[in-house]
Every structure is written in structure tokens, then in C-alpha cells.
């Protein structure tokens, strides 16, 4: 009998350690009419150490009546979470009108240390004011590490602009000394690169007007590092000639906004082109249809350039992706050294959309999937990682055939990375049933054998 008990315990332990469930915990504000997170950053404490996550997005506050008219109202919202998903502080920003979040970055003190967060949003007005009688501009709002507004200022350009991306810049001592932004005029006639100081005053502005022979469109912007020392800035730009031929280029420019190198002029063969921050060189990624899959399928590609701006490797995914969904790539560091790349993409099975997170090694080789979320309830906009825990942000959607207490609520999802996942709910149940049946068969067989031995 002791042998039977030992075998049962051994088998149970083996199957118990075969964990088919990921530990997913979903948090939501669920306090506004509609909520959606679109940005996620590491948060910092006063000592300059990472201490959680900052999620940011927009919330709908319904509508208000003003001067016999009804206006929809939304605010920009920032929420700081600790790593366990507890809300540390929350900030709602905006006036009685539609307020949108264009970008989110860090702010820095004179020593170059993170001292807060930068909200980039259109200047907001009271609902009774209109674009015809006001000079709408982009606005910068500095929020300190405790969620308090420090200052607010306009972008200070003569033209009405919209900023699509802003990144921090650094001096020769590698300390943050300001920002570079991609901007465009709201009439669509000009593309701009703007250098700001730490107080968001303009240092220089490079303006590219649309002319008859060609048109320019700036698409993405990132810092170029060499062993974590900044050696320049990378820019993706689309050039449309007068005969409608297009080229998408990767260029390098310096801290004065002067173009130094055209690294690649043939990126227009890809469906989309984005830049990812990496401690060494440049990472370009996006969607491509040059895949060995079915016709019309697309997948991701990643190109790594070294510090000499030469192509180091290129990799292409082997799984069909959805074209119109979010694609994100992040370099992960450990002990101040880059360890791997994590990519998030979307696939489809039957009627469900799957959000997949996979690991890519430093040579561009696919390692493994580390997460798969299948849900019609989630729209995932971004992710972050701390150790072996993944954090997702986006929106929780109420399906049309469900009676939810909310319409669209914010999503903050925490998932243990190492408890991986490509199993469905019924698969988990089947494994447990097989385990139970297996143990039962062994126990019965041993008891029958013992009974026969006793009879003999």
C-alpha cells in the first residue's frame, strides 16, 4: 500500500508542476463612461529608481450643455500603478471639450535625471470656443513624480502644428538636455523637426515645405546609441516625387538637425516601417508581405544596424499577422546589458484575435512565444516588462450580445511571463482529466495485482 501511495503522490506532483495556466490579473478604473490606455512607461520614485508603471490615455466624461449646444467631453488621464496593480495616483487633465493625448515622455532636471512626465496634447479650450476664433496649438504639460501639474506651455511655433513623436536628447556628458520632435502643420503643408530645451523652449526648427518636385513625410524618430553613448538620431521619412514615385528612407542626423547619412533608401518595399529604441545601433521593424506563407499573408520583419550603420541582420516572421493591429518591439536589458528583444503582434484564429508576445535573440532568431492572449473582450495597445512579468494596457470592450456594467473600460493586465500559454481553457481541463484517469488506472492495476498475489 505504501508503494501505491508513493506512486500516486509522485505522479500528482509531476502533473501539478505542468502548469498550463498563466497567472493573468486584470485591473480597470471602470469609473468613466469610456476609458482607453494608449501609452505605458516605467514609473520612477524620487531616488531615480523604477517603482511601477505609468499608464496614460483618454476617458470620456459624457456631454455637457453650453450656450444651447451639447458638447462631448473627454480628458487625458495618467494613472500610476505599482507592480502589483495597485493605483498609486491618478491625474485627469483637460477642459470642457474633447481632449486627446498625442504623446507621453519623461521630463528631466538639470542633472539629467527623470523628475516627471511630459504630456503632449492639443491646447484645450472651453466648449463655447471654436477653432475659428482661437489659435489652436500643441501644449506641453509637466507632471511631477507624484502626479501634480508643475507647468503648462504652448509649443511656441508660429504655425499651428501637431506633434506625432517626441524623444529626449542628450549632451556630451550623456545627460538629458532637451527634446527633438516630429511635427506637421495642421493644414498638411509642412513637415518639421523641432529641437527643444528641457523647459520646452525652441532651440532650432527645421521646416520642410511641400514643393512641386517632391513631398516629405516624417514617420518615426529614435536615438542612435553606441555602447549607450548617443552618436546621433535616426529618422524614417517618405519622399514622394512629382511623378508619384515613392521612397521610404532611413537617415541619420546630428544634434543640430543636419543630415549626415542616408542609411537605406529602399524601405518602401515594406508595408510599414517603425523604429525601436536599442542600446546599440538602430532597429527597424514593421510588416512585410515578402513571406513564405500563403498569398496575401503578412508577417513582421526586423532589421538590426550596427554602430557603423551597416546592416547586421534581418529576420522575418513565419506566422501570418493581422495588418491593422498593433505591432510593438522592445529591447530588454539585464544588468545594464541588452539581453533580448520582445515583440508583440496579433494573429487570428476562427473569430478570435490573439495577442502574441514572442522572444527574439540578439542575432534576430525566433526563440519562443512567451504569451498568447485570446479574447474578444480586450483591445491591447501596448506592453511593458519587468523581470518575468508582462504588463499590458488598452481597453476592455463589452460585446454587443453581453449585458455589461460598462461600455468600454481601461485595461491594465498583469501576466507572469514564465507561465506560458498556447493552451485553451478546454485543453487545460482535458489535461487534468487525463491526469486523473492515468492515476486511477495505475492505482487499479496495482490493487488488482496485489489482490491476485494475495489469492495465490
Amino acid at each position: 500500500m505504501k508503494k501505491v501511495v508513493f506512486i500516486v503522490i509522485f505522479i500528482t506532483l509531476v502533473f501539478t508542476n505542468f502548469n498550463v495556466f498563466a497567472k493573468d490579473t486584470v485591473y480597470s478604473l471602470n469609473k468613466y463612461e469610456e476609458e482607453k490606455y494608449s501609452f505605458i512607461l516605467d514609473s520612477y520614485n524620487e531616488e531615480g529608481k523604477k517603482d511601477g508603471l505609468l499608464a496614460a490615455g483618454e476617458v470620456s466624461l459624457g456631454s455637457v450643455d453650453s450656450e444651447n449646444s451639447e458638447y462631448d467631453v473627454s480628458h487625458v488621464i495618467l494613472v500610476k500603478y505599482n507592480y502589483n496593480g495597485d493605483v498609486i495616483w491618478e491625474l485627469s487633465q483637460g477642459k470642457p471639450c474633447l481632449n486627446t493625448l498625442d504623446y507621453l515622455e519623461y521630463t528631466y532636471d538639470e542633472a539629467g535625471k527623470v523628475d516627471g512626465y511630459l504630456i503632449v496634447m492639443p491646447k484645450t479650450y472651453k466648449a463655447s470656443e471654436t477653432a475659428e476664433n482661437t489659435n489652436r496649438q500643441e501644449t506641453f504639460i509637466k507632471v511631477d513624480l507624484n502626479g501634480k501639474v508643475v507647468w503648462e506651455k504652448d509649443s511656441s511655433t508660429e504655425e499651428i502644428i501637431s506633434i506625432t513623436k517626441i524623444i529626449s536628447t542628450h549632451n556630451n556628458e550623456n545627460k538629458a538636455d532637451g527634446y527633438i520632435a516630429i511635427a506637421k502643420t495642421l493644414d498638411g503643408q509642412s513637415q518639421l523637426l523641432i529641437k527643444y530645451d528641457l523647459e520646452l523652449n525652441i532651440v532650432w526648427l527645421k521646416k520642410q515645405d511641400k514643393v512641386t518636385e517632391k513631398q516629405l513625410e516624417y514617420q518615426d524618430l529614435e536615438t542612435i546609441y553606441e555602447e549607450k553613448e548617443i552618436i546621433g538620431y535616426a529618422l524614417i521619412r517618405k519622399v514622394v516625387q512629382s511623378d508619384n514615385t515613392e521612397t521610404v528612407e532611413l537617415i541619420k542626423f546630428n544634434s543640430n538637425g543636419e543630415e549626415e547619412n542616408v542609411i537605406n533608401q529602399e524601405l518602401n518595399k515594406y508595408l510599414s516601417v517603425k523604429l525601436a529604441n536599442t542600446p546599440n545601433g538602430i532597429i527597424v521593424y514593421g510588416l512585410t508581405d515578402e513571406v513564405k506563407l500563403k498569398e496575401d499573408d503578412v508577417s513582421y520583419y526586423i532589421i538590426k544596424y550596427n554602430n557603423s550603420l551597416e546592416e547586421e541582420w534581418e529576420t522575418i516572421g513565419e506566422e501570418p499577422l493581422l495588418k491593422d493591429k498593433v505591432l510593438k518591439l522592445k529591447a530588454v536589458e539585464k544588468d545594464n546589458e541588452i539581453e533580448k528583444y520582445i515583440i508583440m503582434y496579433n494573429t487570428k484564429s476562427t473569430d478570435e484575435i490573439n495577442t502574441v508576445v514572442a522572444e527574439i535573440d540578439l542575432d534576430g532568431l525566433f526563440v519562443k512565444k512567451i504569451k498568447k492572449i485570446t479574447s474578444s473582450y480586450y483591445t491591447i495597445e501596448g506592453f511593458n516588462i519587468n523581470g518575468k512579468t508582462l504588463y499590458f494596457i488598452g481597453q476592455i470592450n463589452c460585446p454587443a450580445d453581453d449585458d455589461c456594467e460598462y461600455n468600454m473600460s481601461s485595461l491594465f493586465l498583469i501576466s507572469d511571463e514564465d507561465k506560458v500559454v498556447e493552451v485553451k481553457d478546454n485543453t487545460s481541463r482535458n489535461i487534468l482529466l487525463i491526469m486523473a484517469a492515468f492515476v486511477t488506472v495505475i492505482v487499479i492495476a496495482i490493487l488488482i495485482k496485489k489482490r491476485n498475489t494475495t489469492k495465490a
Side-chain angles (χ1 to χ4, degrees):
M1 188 64 186
K2 289 183 179 179
K3 181 186 265 187
V4 174
V5 173
F6 173 78
I7 292 174
V8 171
I9 292 174
F10 174 76
I11 294 174
T12 303
L13 288 173
V14 169
F15 278 96
T16 300
N17 287 325
F18 185 70
N19 193 335
V20 298
F21 291 104
K23 184 182 177 183
D24 292 347
T25 309
V26 177
Y27 298 87
S28 177
L29 292 178
N30 196 14
K31 57 192 289 189
Y32 301 98
E33 182 174 316
E34 294 180 8
E35 309 166 351
K36 180 181 180 181
Y37 290 144
S38 50
F39 292 88
I40 182 169
L41 295 177
D42 294 307
S43 64
Y44 286 82
N45 59 23
E46 300 288 350
E47 288 72 44
K49 296 181 180 179
K50 296 178 182 180
D51 65 346
L53 288 307
L54 186 77
E58 300 154 9
V59 297
S60 172
L61 303 179
S63 59
V64 296
D65 292 322
S66 177
E67 299 181 358
N68 299 321
S69 297
E70 188 173 296
Y71 297 90
D72 291 328
V73 177
S74 65
H75 275 190
V76 168
I77 190 166
L78 271 63
V79 183
K80 178 176 177 177
Y81 294 88
N82 64 19
Y83 290 122
N84 295 322
D86 301 319
V87 174
I88 306 304
W89 55 257
E90 175 187 324
L91 172 68
S92 179
Q93 188 71 23
K95 295 180 181 178
C97 61
L98 288 175
N99 300 269
T100 57
L101 178 60
D102 288 342
Y103 214 78
L104 182 70
E105 248 291 356
Y106 295 110
T107 61
Y108 302 85
D109 60 20
E110 293 181 353
K113 187 178 74 172
V114 172
D115 68 349
Y117 310 98
L118 179 66
I119 298 173
V120 183
M121 61 185 290
K123 186 175 181 179
T124 56
Y125 300 89
K126 295 180 180 179
S128 59
E129 296 177 322
T130 65
E132 285 74 22
N133 58 28
T134 55
N135 182 23
R136 292 182 61 83
Q137 268 292 1
E138 199 78 294
T139 295
F140 301 116
I141 301 172
K142 178 173 180 173
V143 179
D144 68 19
L145 297 175
N146 297 311
K148 306 298 182 184
V149 173
V150 179
W151 49 250
E152 177 178 342
K153 61 178 61 178
D154 294 347
S155 57
S156 304
T157 55
E158 294 181 0
E159 297 177 284
I160 304 172
I161 65 166
S162 171
I163 288 177
T164 57
K165 187 165 186 180
I166 187 168
I167 63 172
S168 60
T169 61
H170 295 69
N171 57 26
N172 294 333
E173 298 177 352
N174 209 32
K175 293 181 179 179
D177 66 352
Y179 305 88
I180 291 179
I182 293 177
K184 62 182 179 181
T185 55
L186 293 186
D187 60 11
Q189 294 303 307
S190 298
Q191 296 279 325
L192 303 97
L193 281 178
I194 309 174
K195 174 70 168 73
Y196 296 94
D197 63 19
L198 287 177
E199 299 298 317
L200 277 300
N201 302 304
I202 293 178
V203 178
W204 52 255
L205 184 150
K206 304 290 182 180
K207 178 179 175 182
Q208 182 68 50
D209 288 319
K210 286 187 174 181
V211 291
T212 55
E213 63 269 19
K214 65 180 180 181
Q215 299 175 358
L216 293 183
E217 177 186 329
Y218 298 141
Q219 297 185 339
D220 206 355
L221 173 71
E222 270 299 345
T223 307
I224 306 175
Y225 292 92
E226 180 178 0
E227 301 298 331
K228 298 193 176 181
E229 296 291 327
I230 292 178
I231 60 173
Y233 303 91
L235 180 70
I236 300 292
R237 69 181 180 192
K238 181 169 73 172
V239 182
V240 183
Q241 303 292 345
S242 58
D243 60 358
N244 289 326
T245 58
E246 296 183 1
T247 59
V248 179
E249 304 173 335
L250 170 64
I251 68 170
K252 177 192 174 187
F253 67 96
N254 61 27
S255 58
N256 295 318
E258 300 163 340
E259 183 179 321
E260 293 187 341
N261 299 88
V262 178
I263 302 167
N264 190 332
Q265 288 182 297
E266 300 178 350
L267 294 174
N268 55 301
K269 67 180 181 179
Y270 300 110
L271 300 177
S272 63
V273 185
K274 303 176 70 174
L275 293 168
N277 188 275
T278 183
N280 284 296
I282 307 171
I283 288 283
V284 177
Y285 73 104
L287 293 175
T288 179
D289 56 8
E290 296 183 348
V291 293
K292 297 178 180 178
L293 300 168
K294 296 179 182 178
E295 188 176 355
D296 296 330
D297 276 344
V298 302
S299 195
Y300 67 82
Y301 71 91
I302 308 171
I303 307 173
K304 172 68 166 61
Y305 294 89
N306 60 24
N307 298 328
S308 301
L309 307 182
E310 299 168 337
E311 185 176 316
E312 190 174 332
W313 50 257
E314 178 177 4
T315 187
I316 295 178
E318 298 182 355
E319 185 174 17
L321 310 187
L322 295 175
K323 293 181 183 180
D324 58 345
K325 297 299 179 181
V326 174
L327 179 69
K328 298 282 188 181
L329 181 70
K330 184 177 180 64
V332 178
E333 295 185 58
K334 184 178 182 180
D335 300 327
N336 293 320
E337 295 291 335
I338 183 168
E339 179 186 29
K340 57 189 174 184
Y341 299 101
I342 301 295
I343 188 168
M344 184 185 82
Y345 54 85
N346 289 274
T347 64
K348 190 171 184 179
S349 59
T350 61
D351 294 328
E352 296 280 6
I353 294 176
N354 308 311
T355 299
V356 177
V357 179
E359 178 182 337
I360 309 293
D361 70 16
L362 298 184
D363 295 317
L365 301 176
F366 180 92
V367 179
K368 61 181 178 179
K369 292 181 182 179
I370 57 177
K371 181 66 184 173
K372 182 177 180 182
I373 300 174
T374 299
S375 175
S376 58
Y377 288 84
Y378 301 154
T379 299
I380 295 177
E381 296 291 334
F383 78 100
N384 208 325
I385 185 169
N386 177 56
K388 294 198 173 190
T389 303
L390 289 162
Y391 298 85
F392 298 91
I393 52 99
Q395 192 171 51
I396 305 173
N397 306 307
C398 180
D401 55 350
D402 282 6
D403 183 18
C404 304
E405 296 180 357
Y406 58 87
N407 184 11
M408 291 178 287
S409 186
S410 57
L411 171 68
F412 186 81
L413 187 150
I414 302 176
S415 177
D416 287 351
E417 176 196 338
D418 58 349
K419 294 178 182 176
V420 177
V421 187
E422 270 211 88
V423 289
K424 298 181 180 179
D425 292 342
N426 60 343
T427 308
S428 305
R429 182 193 61 195
N430 292 341
I431 290 174
L432 294 174
L433 290 174
I434 292 170
M435 179 188 76
F438 184 66
V439 171
T440 302
V441 169
I442 290 178
V443 171
I444 292 173
I446 293 174
L447 290 174
I448 291 173
K449 182 178 179 181
K450 184 176 181 181
R451 181 182 177 186
N452 292 339
T453 303
T454 303
K455 287 182 176 180

